[in-house]
């Protein structure tokens, strides 16, 4: 009897200890966090616990995110979760599939409900055959999706995308029509003149379409977007739908059922077991040993601990090749002391995220006779000097000049040299990169101006394929200067709706320095949470004279585990 009591005491003590020291790292813990994060923030759960055919999500590459942001947390959770998932090798022909692909920008995750996908395609087979060719079959479309990926199969077929994503055929077709109408409403580009910015968001687009007095009005006047009726409404419908449509109402009701089923699963202690069962995987197949919080100090061996500062320094250099400046280092030191000012420069965060390995200006700045106006955005080179005393300032508006705009490959785009007489233009109406690139020119001077797409028509415009543009300009004559500045604001095109009014290039440079400082603050505020493993001085020492260099897979794995254990999971 005494032996039984002692045995029970050991069990109870063991269970208490287990509750006090839960596992913080294992395939089970990582996958549980990954799927909960996916189901709580996206519509992925509706694929497994509803009849949504497909869900497409992306997790950014860790080095493509700013430390301390929600995006960085998602990158760590997604990157580590998919690494664990890909080691499992789930059955390839199950009812549910989770496929992933990886590139420099991050992970693309595709969840497929096989029966629901085939049923959605079969119900709309005529449309699929029209778009994808006679003889297409639901099974064939699915096989292509699995082997080639979402973008390769559906490309610009927006209506088909909407159908397989579970938005309903009516809504998908109407949305595709709305996109085509939007393109018709967009003003034509007349380089190098500015164009008005488009709608700020989808709701603005719908309102503008409704206001158009043409045949398009009747097709889009009932488009609307789902708005939660209360704080606890967790329903996810990230698409427009026809509000007076019976099918739309049925679709919304079915999504509510999906969400109720998902909420129930998310609340269970057996959450991961039930999710893995859907994929035909047994939880017991995850055999790696769980690490508890009191074992973290021994998780990294001596060699790994020694390498961590170097790897953190390298990943900072890879993440911020252009922001890694004295201002960035100052921000890191301020974060260490806990003394720093907040800076609201979200529009520069967005521009930073949109950059994808651009090397045009880095190569350009290494050439001779190149002068920088705005780092990584605007440069010029003088081809013919002038001794004229007439110099272009921000107070000059009308000028007479010849110009030639070329794309980044040197192909001519538009120009005036075919005209006998140089045209007179108003600089206030020009794209900002063109106007600001001419500042300081003397009458008779010829200059090459190299302009980032942010200061042209944005990165998604067909002009120059959204890449850098070179303008060759010959300044023929200047008007008399005005009493107030005449230049356009130096506002990046893609964020013009909410960027501040930036009058001069020095203002823009000051904002870039503030952004570098803020990135430094956020970066070390993030890594400082793992101060038991790394120190600021060790990282700063390794940052000296460091250049961008890709990390190996093992180095990336080590950093993912370090950020998970030392930061994200705290």
């Amino acid at each position: 009897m005494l032996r039984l009591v002692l045995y029970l005491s050991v069990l109870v003590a063991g269970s208490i200890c287990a509750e006090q020291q839960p596992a913080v790292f294992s395939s089970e813990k990582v996958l549980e966090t990954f799927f909960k994060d996916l189901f709580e923030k996206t519509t992925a759960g509706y694929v497994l616990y509803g009849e949504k055919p497909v869900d497409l999500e992306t997790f950014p590459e860790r080095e493509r995110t700013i430390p301390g942001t929600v995006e960085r947390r998602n990158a760590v959770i997604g990157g580590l979760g998919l690494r664990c998932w890909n080691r499992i090798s789930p059955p390839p022909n199950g009812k549910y599939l989770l496929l992933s692909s990886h590139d420099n920008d991050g992970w693309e995750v595709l969840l497929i409900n096989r029966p629901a996908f085939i049923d959605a395609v079969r119900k709309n087979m005529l449309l699929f055959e029209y778009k994808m060719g006679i003889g297409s079959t639901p099974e064939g479309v699915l096989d292509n999706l699995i082997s080639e990926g979402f973008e390769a199969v559906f490309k610009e077929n927006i209506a088909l995308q909407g159908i397989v994503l579970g938005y309903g055929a009516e809504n998908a077709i109407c949305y595709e029509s709305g996109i085509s109408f939007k393109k018709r409403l967009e003003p034509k580009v007349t380089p190098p003149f500015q164009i008005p910015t488009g709608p700020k968001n989808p709701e603005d687009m719908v309102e503008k379409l409704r206001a158009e007095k043409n045949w398009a009005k009747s097709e889009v006047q009932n488009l609307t977007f789902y708005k939660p009726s209360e704080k606890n409404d967790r329903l996810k419908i990230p698409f427009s739908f026809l509000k007076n449509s019976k099918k739309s109402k049925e679709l919304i009701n079915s999504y509510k059922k999906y969400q109720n089923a998902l909420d129930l699963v998310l609340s269970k202690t057996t959450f991961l077991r039930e999710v893995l069962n859907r994929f035909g995987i047994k939880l017991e197949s995850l055999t790696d040993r769980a690490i508890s919080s009191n074992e973290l100090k021994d998780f990294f061996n001596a060699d790994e601990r020694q390498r961590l500062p170097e790897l953190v320094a390298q990943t900072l250099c890879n993440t911020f090749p252009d922001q890694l400046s004295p201002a960035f280092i100052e921000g890191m030191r301020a974060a260490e002391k806990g003394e720093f000012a907040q800076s609201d420069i979200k529009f520069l965060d967005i521009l930073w995220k949109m950059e994808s390995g651009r090397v045009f200006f880095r190569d350009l700045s290494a050439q001779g006779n190149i002068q920088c106006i705005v780092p990584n955005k605007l440069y010029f080179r003088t081809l013919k000097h002038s001794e004229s005393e007439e110099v272009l300032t921000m107070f000059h508006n009308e000028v007479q000049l010849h110009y030639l705009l070329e794309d980044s490959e040197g192909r001519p785009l538009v120009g005036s040299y075919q005209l006998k007489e140089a045209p007179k233009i108003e600089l206030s109406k020009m794209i900002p990169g063109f106007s600001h690139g001419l500042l300081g020119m003397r009458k008779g001077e010829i200059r090459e101006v190299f302009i980032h797409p942010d200061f042209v028509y944005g990165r998604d415009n067909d002009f120059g394929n959204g890449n850098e543009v070179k303008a060759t300009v010959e300044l023929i004559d200047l008007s008399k200067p005005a009493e107030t500045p005449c230049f356009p604001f130096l506002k990046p095109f893609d964020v013009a709706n909410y960027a501040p009014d930036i009058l001069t290039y020095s203002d823009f440079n000051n904002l870039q320095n503030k952004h570098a400082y803020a990135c430094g603050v956020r970066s070390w505020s993030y890594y400082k949470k793992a101060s038991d493993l790394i120190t600021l001085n060790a990282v700063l020492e390794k940052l000296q004279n460091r250049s961008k260099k890709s990390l190996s897979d093992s180095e990336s794995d080590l950093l993912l585990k370090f950020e998970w254990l030392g930061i994200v999971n705290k």
Side-chain angles (χ1 to χ4, degrees), residues 139-208:
E139 293 76 13
V141 176
L142 178 58
D143 289 342
N144 288 338
L145 176 63
I146 293 172
S147 61
E148 299 177 23
F150 191 89
E151 184 178 354
V153 174
F154 294 104
K155 297 178 183 176
E156 299 299 322
N157 290 323
I158 296 173
L160 299 190
Q161 291 180 23
I163 290 171
V164 299
L165 287 170
Y167 303 162
E170 280 186 347
N171 297 328
I173 292 170
C174 189
Y175 182 72
E176 184 179 74
S177 299
I179 292 294
S180 64
F181 299 150
K182 177 178 178 291
K183 290 180 179 179
R184 294 183 189 183
L185 296 175
E186 290 176 348
K188 292 183 179 180
V189 175
T190 54
F193 294 89
Q194 296 184 57
I195 58 174
T197 55
K200 296 181 181 180
N201 50 52
E203 289 87 348
D204 286 350
M205 184 194 79
V206 171
E207 288 303 318
K208 189 170 183 180

Side-chain angles (χ1 to χ4, degrees), residues 39-60:
F39 291 174
E40 287 172 351
K41 295 178 180 177
T42 75
T43 60
Y46 297 167
V47 174
L48 268 66
Y49 293 92
E51 296 176 358
K52 180 176 164 68
V54 165
D55 188 85
L56 182 68
E57 303 294 341
T58 58
F59 286 91

